[in-house]
Amino acid sequence: ARYDQPMATRHASLSLLGELCGVAGLSVQLFALDLCDLVSSILASTTEGANIKRAASYLGHCAIAGCGQPLLENAPRDCALMCKRLRTHALHSADKTTQAHANDALIALDALLVVLLYKKQLGTRAKDAPLVYRNTWLPGNSRQDARREGGV
């Protein structure tokens, strides 16, 4: 997703990276820093278009949902920065689809942290952890709301 590539190529590359995060799963340690840095820099950029920010927020969601604990363990500070930027877009993005993807990333992070903290606190296996109690991180920012408005 180099800057000298056409926007359609960059958008497709970021979306493909997101899909690969689900496949790569535990082997993310090789590129965890780069992945978090890429998403963070795109979301912080003032020159990127809405399509690229949409793809970056999708990549952030797929990275957290697909890679999970290895992503947090191998790049904790970079992952935290990425999540802060995703939170900003979940709250303030003008594009409803970007907002929905950022919201989904925060929901995935919430679910991951509930499992990790429960596991650490009680020394139990992750499958014994309670279910996440909410389906939207921020009220009104659900994927269904974005679909109703023609976004997703």
Side-chain angles (χ1 to χ4, degrees):
R2 294 186 334 228
Y3 287 105
D4 60 345
Q5 297 295 317
M7 190 178 297
T9 304
R10 295 183 68 217
H11 184 265
S13 298
L14 290 169
S15 298
L16 182 60
L17 274 174
E19 292 298 323
L20 287 174
C21 283
V23 177
L26 298 176
S27 60
V28 72
Q29 62 268 19
L30 298 175
F31 58 93
L33 290 169
D34 296 329
L35 185 71
C36 293
D37 185 51
L38 176 65
V39 173
S40 294
S41 64
I42 290 173
L43 292 177
S45 174
T46 57
T47 60
E48 294 293 348
N51 285 341
I52 301 300
K53 288 191 179 194
R54 183 180 302 149
S57 64
Y58 176 72
L59 173 57
H61 168 241
C62 291
I64 293 169
C67 301
Q69 186 174 352
L71 184 71
L72 292 175
E73 289 174 351
N74 289 293
R77 289 186 181 174
D78 295 286
C79 191
L81 179 62
M82 178 180 73
C83 291
K84 285 180 185 177
R85 299 235 166 101
L86 285 165
R87 181 179 181 272
T88 300
H89 281 275
L91 289 169
H92 304 295
S93 180
D95 181 40
K96 294 296 181 186
T97 306
T98 302
Q99 205 173 34
H101 289 313
N103 184 54
D104 290 345
L106 295 172
I107 292 169
L109 178 67
D110 188 50
L112 176 64
L113 291 177
V114 165
V115 170
L116 291 176
L117 292 174
Y118 187 81
K119 181 180 174 181
K120 186 173 183 174
Q121 183 181 24
L122 299 178
T124 61
R125 294 176 298 187
K127 70 174 187 167
D128 298 330
L131 296 174
V132 176
Y133 60 92
R134 56 186 171 197
N135 61 358
T136 58
W137 193 75
L138 299 167
N141 285 349
S142 68
R143 185 171 291 285
Q144 290 80 19
D145 292 340
R147 282 195 185 122
R148 273 187 241 123
E149 294 181 15
V152 180

Short mmCIF file of all heavy atoms in Angstrom, two decimals, residues 54 95-98 100-101 143 145-152:
data_model
loop_
_atom_site.label_atom_id
_atom_site.label_comp_id
_atom_site.label_asym_id
_atom_site.label_seq_id
_atom_site.Cartn_x
_atom_site.Cartn_y
_atom_site.Cartn_z
N ARG A 54 -11.20 4.04 5.40
CA ARG A 54 -12.16 2.95 5.59
C ARG A 54 -11.44 1.60 5.57
O ARG A 54 -11.68 0.74 6.42
CB ARG A 54 -13.21 3.01 4.48
CG ARG A 54 -14.30 1.99 4.60
CD ARG A 54 -15.29 2.12 3.45
NE ARG A 54 -15.84 3.46 3.45
CZ ARG A 54 -16.24 4.09 2.35
NH1 ARG A 54 -16.11 3.52 1.16
NH2 ARG A 54 -16.76 5.29 2.42
N ASP A 95 -17.45 9.43 7.83
CA ASP A 95 -17.83 8.27 7.02
C ASP A 95 -18.40 7.19 7.93
O ASP A 95 -17.72 6.70 8.83
CB ASP A 95 -16.61 7.76 6.27
CG ASP A 95 -16.92 6.57 5.39
OD1 ASP A 95 -17.99 6.57 4.75
OD2 ASP A 95 -16.10 5.64 5.35
N LYS A 96 -19.65 6.82 7.71
CA LYS A 96 -20.33 5.85 8.57
C LYS A 96 -19.69 4.46 8.50
O LYS A 96 -19.68 3.73 9.48
CB LYS A 96 -21.81 5.76 8.22
CG LYS A 96 -22.57 7.03 8.50
CD LYS A 96 -22.58 7.34 9.97
CE LYS A 96 -23.36 8.59 10.27
NZ LYS A 96 -23.27 9.01 11.65
N THR A 97 -19.15 4.09 7.36
CA THR A 97 -18.53 2.77 7.24
C THR A 97 -17.22 2.73 8.01
O THR A 97 -16.94 1.75 8.70
CB THR A 97 -18.29 2.42 5.76
OG1 THR A 97 -19.53 2.55 5.06
CG2 THR A 97 -17.78 1.01 5.61
N THR A 98 -16.42 3.78 7.93
CA THR A 98 -15.20 3.87 8.72
C THR A 98 -15.54 3.82 10.20
O THR A 98 -14.88 3.12 10.98
CB THR A 98 -14.43 5.16 8.40
OG1 THR A 98 -14.15 5.19 7.00
CG2 THR A 98 -13.14 5.27 9.18
N ALA A 100 -18.16 2.41 11.53
CA ALA A 100 -18.61 1.05 11.88
C ALA A 100 -17.44 0.08 12.01
O ALA A 100 -17.41 -0.73 12.93
CB ALA A 100 -19.59 0.55 10.83
N HIS A 101 -16.47 0.17 11.11
CA HIS A 101 -15.29 -0.70 11.20
C HIS A 101 -14.48 -0.39 12.46
O HIS A 101 -14.00 -1.30 13.13
CB HIS A 101 -14.41 -0.57 9.97
CG HIS A 101 -14.97 -1.17 8.73
ND1 HIS A 101 -15.54 -2.42 8.69
CD2 HIS A 101 -15.06 -0.69 7.47
CE1 HIS A 101 -15.95 -2.68 7.46
NE2 HIS A 101 -15.67 -1.64 6.70
N ARG A 143 -22.95 -1.70 13.19
CA ARG A 143 -22.89 -2.02 11.77
C ARG A 143 -24.29 -1.92 11.15
O ARG A 143 -24.44 -1.51 10.02
CB ARG A 143 -22.31 -3.42 11.58
CG ARG A 143 -22.10 -3.77 10.14
CD ARG A 143 -21.33 -5.06 10.00
NE ARG A 143 -19.96 -4.94 10.41
CZ ARG A 143 -19.00 -4.35 9.72
NH1 ARG A 143 -19.28 -3.80 8.58
NH2 ARG A 143 -17.77 -4.32 10.14
N ASP A 145 -26.63 0.21 11.92
CA ASP A 145 -26.89 1.62 11.65
C ASP A 145 -26.23 2.06 10.36
O ASP A 145 -26.80 2.81 9.57
CB ASP A 145 -26.39 2.50 12.80
CG ASP A 145 -27.18 2.30 14.08
OD1 ASP A 145 -28.32 1.79 14.00
OD2 ASP A 145 -26.66 2.64 15.15
N ALA A 146 -25.01 1.61 10.13
CA ALA A 146 -24.29 1.97 8.91
C ALA A 146 -24.97 1.35 7.69
O ALA A 146 -25.05 1.98 6.64
CB ALA A 146 -22.84 1.52 8.99
N ARG A 147 -25.44 0.13 7.82
CA ARG A 147 -26.13 -0.50 6.69
C ARG A 147 -27.41 0.24 6.34
O ARG A 147 -27.75 0.40 5.19
CB ARG A 147 -26.45 -1.96 7.02
CG ARG A 147 -25.27 -2.85 6.90
CD ARG A 147 -25.70 -4.31 6.87
NE ARG A 147 -24.51 -5.12 6.87
CZ ARG A 147 -24.23 -6.02 7.77
NH1 ARG A 147 -25.05 -6.26 8.77
NH2 ARG A 147 -23.11 -6.70 7.73
N ARG A 148 -28.14 0.67 7.39
CA ARG A 148 -29.38 1.41 7.13
C ARG A 148 -29.11 2.69 6.38
O ARG A 148 -29.92 3.14 5.59
CB ARG A 148 -30.07 1.73 8.46
CG ARG A 148 -30.98 0.62 8.90
CD ARG A 148 -31.78 1.05 10.13
NE ARG A 148 -31.39 0.10 11.17
CZ ARG A 148 -30.87 0.39 12.34
NH1 ARG A 148 -30.71 1.64 12.69
NH2 ARG A 148 -30.52 -0.53 13.18
N GLU A 149 -27.95 3.27 6.61
CA GLU A 149 -27.62 4.52 5.93
C GLU A 149 -26.87 4.28 4.62
O GLU A 149 -26.40 5.20 4.00
CB GLU A 149 -26.78 5.39 6.86
CG GLU A 149 -27.57 5.84 8.08
CD GLU A 149 -26.75 6.71 9.00
OE1 GLU A 149 -25.68 7.18 8.57
OE2 GLU A 149 -27.18 6.90 10.14
N GLY A 150 -26.75 3.02 4.21
CA GLY A 150 -26.16 2.70 2.92
C GLY A 150 -24.66 2.62 2.91
O GLY A 150 -24.04 2.69 1.86
N GLY A 151 -24.02 2.46 4.06
CA GLY A 151 -22.56 2.46 4.13
C GLY A 151 -21.90 1.15 3.85
O GLY A 151 -21.14 1.02 2.92
N VAL A 152 -22.15 0.13 4.64
CA VAL A 152 -21.37 -1.09 4.62
C VAL A 152 -21.64 -1.92 3.41
O VAL A 152 -22.55 -2.28 2.91
CB VAL A 152 -21.60 -1.91 5.91
CG1 VAL A 152 -20.77 -3.17 5.88
CG2 VAL A 152 -21.23 -1.09 7.08
#
